[in-house]
Amino acid sequence: MYDYPLYRPPSESNSLIIQVTLGCSHNKCNFCNMYKSKKFTIKSFEDIKTDVNYFREMYSHVEKIFLADGDALIIPTEKLKEILTLIRNTFSECRRVTLYGTPKSILGKTHQELKELKDLGLYMIYMGVESGSDEVLNDINKGVSSNEIIDAARIVKNADILLSVTVIAGVGGIEKSDIHAIKTGKLISDMAPNYLGVLTLMVEEETDLYNKILKKEFKLLSDREILNEIGILIQHINVNESVTFRCNHASNYVSLRGSLPEDKEKLLNQINYDLKTNQIKQEEYRRL
Ligand code: SF4
């Protein structure tokens, strides 16, 4: 039923996954090989309908649905509305439908279009931001600027759709660690997403970043430096609206969770404690 590899956010572990696209519409970030094996395709409505009917027969109760793959929001709005309507008619018990949306795909939708998608059940958009530094965004070939990311966040929030974003600790390397952390903190302050997930850079072979490391054009951070960078990031997040903060992905060395702004000091104290008590070993470098 699925075209592998298949990815979904950790918080969608209990969701039914329906593939409506294959691959990622961008597929050019220098650290990412998630969808390198796939040519980006929007599946036909008939194929999606076949999958939906199959899942209906398989599962008697489905409360959450995640639309995969990498950038389901890029689907033209009329077709996405048809898909959401099909889901609503088929899974009347479903409480929420979520998907990944790149900043470019979000910017390709009008306020009215997002409102219509929200009214048909689109509950939350997951957006990979990675960094708030334009230099780093350029280095990693993200294809968008920090201002475009802020505009995309505003459009989503104005449509009353929840926004969950991820950033990547270490993605600027040693050289740009400080600027990456500071600018990302400021970007998050401007976006005020509902959820913020901090991942840690994992280097995969067969990526441009891997080759840069081999050529010594990019230096990875040690465990301690990553944790220190996350501390600087948190210091620079100043929000009035509540942001649920998570740094407990499998890629992270320590597990941090809380709500900003109220848990800011608690999170910073935990980082300092972990650094001081050598929870993170001295200068333990990741692979390579
Ligand atoms: S937008 Fe996301 S899935 Fe696509 S290449 Fe970049 S990191 Fe990978």
Side-chain angles (χ1 to χ4, degrees):
M1 187 50 60
Y2 291 122
D3 187 318
Y4 291 98
L6 183 67
Y7 299 95
R8 48 115 186 108
S11 50
E12 300 293 335
S13 57
N14 295 321
S15 303
L16 169 64
I17 302 177
I18 300 175
Q19 263 176 322
V20 293
T21 63
L22 303 179
C24 166
S25 62
H26 180 56
N27 218 10
K28 290 183 189 135
C29 296
N30 80 341
F31 58 88
C32 175
N33 72 350
M34 286 164 71
Y35 300 112
K36 286 282 186 263
S37 60
K38 290 184 180 182
K39 182 175 180 303
F40 181 72
T41 315
I42 297 174
K43 285 174 69 170
S44 72
F45 185 75
E46 282 315 306
D47 284 348
I48 294 167
K49 195 171 174 184
T50 302
D51 291 354
V52 165
N53 290 336
Y54 169 81
F55 289 128
R56 178 69 291 178
E57 283 188 20
M58 290 273 296
Y59 303 109
S60 58
H61 190 79
V62 174
E63 289 202 356
K64 294 162 67 180
I65 290 177
F66 176 73
L67 301 180
D69 277 342
D71 185 17
L73 194 71
I74 203 170
I75 294 174
T77 303
E78 284 311 309
K79 182 167 179 177
L80 206 41
K81 283 164 64 181
E82 271 188 280
I83 294 168
L84 290 169
T85 304
L86 172 69
I87 288 172
R88 177 165 279 187
N89 292 340
T90 312
F91 298 97
S92 56
E93 75 278 23
C94 179
R95 288 187 292 110
R96 53 178 265 183
V97 180
T98 57
L99 43 66
Y100 283 126
T102 59
K104 278 247 163 84
S105 298
I106 294 168
L107 292 171
K109 305 283 187 218
T110 64
H111 172 74
Q112 181 58 28
E113 287 175 322
L114 283 177
K115 279 297 249 185
E116 288 170 12
L117 295 174
K118 149 99 182 171
D119 291 344
L120 287 169
L122 180 58
Y123 175 80
M124 181 155 68
I125 295 176
Y126 293 95
M127 175 167 55
V129 164
E130 333 309 1
S131 178
S133 156
D134 283 314
E135 268 186 80
V136 174
L137 289 170
N138 192 45
D139 289 349
I140 65 175
N141 209 13
K142 187 70 191 167
V144 283
S145 67
S146 57
N147 282 337
E148 286 174 304
I149 292 171
I150 292 168
D151 286 346
R154 192 172 301 125
I155 293 174
V156 173
K157 293 185 71 187
N158 283 346
D160 279 334
I161 296 172
L162 295 182
L163 178 64
S164 177
V165 308
T166 48
V167 300
I168 304 180
V171 79
I174 288 280
E175 198 189 327
K176 293 176 184 162
S177 176
D178 281 357
I179 193 76
H180 166 57
I182 293 166
K183 295 273 187 174
T184 304
K186 289 186 173 160
L187 181 88
I188 296 300
S189 307
D190 286 338
M191 296 171 77
N194 303 92
Y195 298 90
L196 167 63
V198 179
L199 314 178
T200 298
L201 180 68
M202 305 279 289
V203 180
E204 305 284 348
E205 293 186 18
E206 295 167 11
T207 58
D208 291 344
L209 182 61
Y210 183 81
N211 291 326
K212 273 179 105 173
I213 294 167
L214 291 183
K215 286 194 262 172
K216 306 214 179 309
E217 292 170 5
F218 183 97
K219 192 159 182 296
L220 291 165
L221 277 71
S222 70
D223 298 3
R224 290 180 66 81
E225 287 162 342
I226 287 282
L227 196 54
N228 193 52
E229 184 181 288
I230 293 171
I232 297 171
L233 163 70
I234 294 171
Q235 275 169 14
H236 286 85
I237 298 177
N238 294 301
V239 283
N240 297 320
E241 300 164 53
S242 181
V243 175
T244 300
F245 177 90
R246 293 283 180 268
C247 180
N248 55 358
H249 182 257
S251 65
N252 298 117
Y253 310 120
V254 292
S255 179
L256 300 164
R257 52 194 299 158
S259 285
L260 295 171
E262 55 269 36
D263 294 330
K264 186 169 178 173
E265 282 312 307
K266 188 187 89 179
L267 290 165
L268 290 173
N269 287 340
Q270 186 181 339
I271 288 174
N272 285 334
Y273 176 82
D274 287 344
L275 287 169
K276 276 192 195 135
T277 56
N278 269 341
Q279 298 289 320
I280 300 294
K281 290 184 205 133
Q282 294 282 341
E283 302 306 324
E284 184 174 294
Y285 284 83
R286 309 211 91 196
R287 294 195 295 137
L288 297 177

